[in-house]
Amino acid sequence: MVTRLARPCKCTGCQTGGMDTGVTVVGSGQVGGVPDVLRVTLGVEVMAPDVASAVARVGERTEAVVAALRAHGIEGSRLSTSAVNVFQHYREPGTDVAYQAQHTIQVESKDLTGFGALLNAAVDAAGNSLTMNGLQFDIEDKSELLVQARELAFQQARAKAEHLARLSGFSLGSVTAIAETQNHFPIRRAYNASKAAGFDAAINVTPGDSSVEVSLEVHFAWA
């Protein structure tokens, strides 16, 4: 909590200069909601003796994964590349040099119960080249939740300011400044599916709740 009190100054310079006086408080409001979108981060990794081969192979297998996901019902607008990496894979001295290529894909689905089938579609396309870095349940449109959280935050800020005004013997005036901070707490599930194979298509995950939080720093002048 941030609380700052400023008493009126009696000196001539402060009165003529309009010195800002009052109380600054922070209020917070948090509202939860039911997730309506599933985000999965999948990757394709391949090893090859040279860079060109590594890039070509990771490209082919990534295209196969994307095609499988599209066939599974994932819209193209909900598939995006989040990272591409190619680097030398260092081995024991005396062994052949190898290069590793990685392509990471962000997948969004409105089907929160179809995670197992989605994952198996990717596994069937890429085999042991598939990796999975995790999944997240989220709320796609948070605008209404933010409105509610903002109202709660302001109510809390005003209540604090009124209390402090009574304690300090002042009357609360108007709001002169507001600063807002937003936080979002999606539900994350961490998985390490490197060298994934043979996932059970019936695998289930539970969305739980997702929440948003708004913090307001509000300055009230003295009346």
Side-chain angles (χ1 to χ4, degrees), residues 167-181:
L167 291 174
S168 55
F170 291 105
S171 297
L172 202 62
S174 60
V175 173
T176 61
I178 300 179
E180 178 178 305
T181 302

Side-chain angles (χ1 to χ4, degrees), residues 31-192:
V31 179
V34 178
D36 58 5
V37 63
L38 167 67
R39 295 190 175 97
V40 183
T41 304
L42 299 175
V44 177
E45 293 184 359
V46 298
M47 299 283 291
D50 57 78
V51 172
S53 297
V55 171
R57 291 178 189 176
V58 80
E60 292 172 358
R61 294 181 190 180
T62 300
E63 289 178 1
V65 170
V66 170
L69 294 174
R70 292 290 299 273
H72 187 68
I74 304 298
E75 299 176 3
S77 60
R78 294 189 177 273
L79 292 168
S80 61
T81 294
S82 59
V84 175
N85 296 292
V86 181
F87 53 89
Q88 184 175 347
H89 186 78
Y90 291 94
R91 298 181 174 181
E92 294 294 328
T95 59
D96 294 336
V97 175
Y99 294 87
Q100 185 171 357
Q102 302 172 336
H103 192 142
T104 306
I105 309 168
Q106 185 76 29
V107 185
E108 290 187 358
S109 174
K110 301 292 284 186
D111 181 7
L112 304 189
T113 63
F115 168 70
L118 182 150
L119 182 58
N120 269 311
V123 170
D124 290 342
N128 290 340
S129 296
L130 186 78
T131 65
M132 191 179 80
N133 301 324
L135 64 84
Q136 169 186 304
F137 292 100
D138 200 1
I139 298 172
E140 195 162 32
D141 183 3
K142 307 177 186 67
S143 57
E144 183 58 34
L145 294 179
L146 287 171
V147 169
Q148 297 175 27
R150 188 177 295 114
E151 291 174 351
L152 291 174
F154 188 82
Q155 291 170 13
Q156 185 184 88
R158 175 172 284 279
K160 288 181 181 179
E162 290 174 344
H163 185 212
L164 290 167
R166 290 195 302 270
L167 291 174
S168 55
F170 291 105
S171 297
L172 202 62
S174 60
V175 173
T176 61
I178 300 179
E180 178 178 305
T181 302
Q182 296 179 6
N183 293 308
H184 175 222
F185 305 101
I187 304 301
R188 291 183 173 84
R189 301 284 187 267
Y191 288 86
N192 184 358

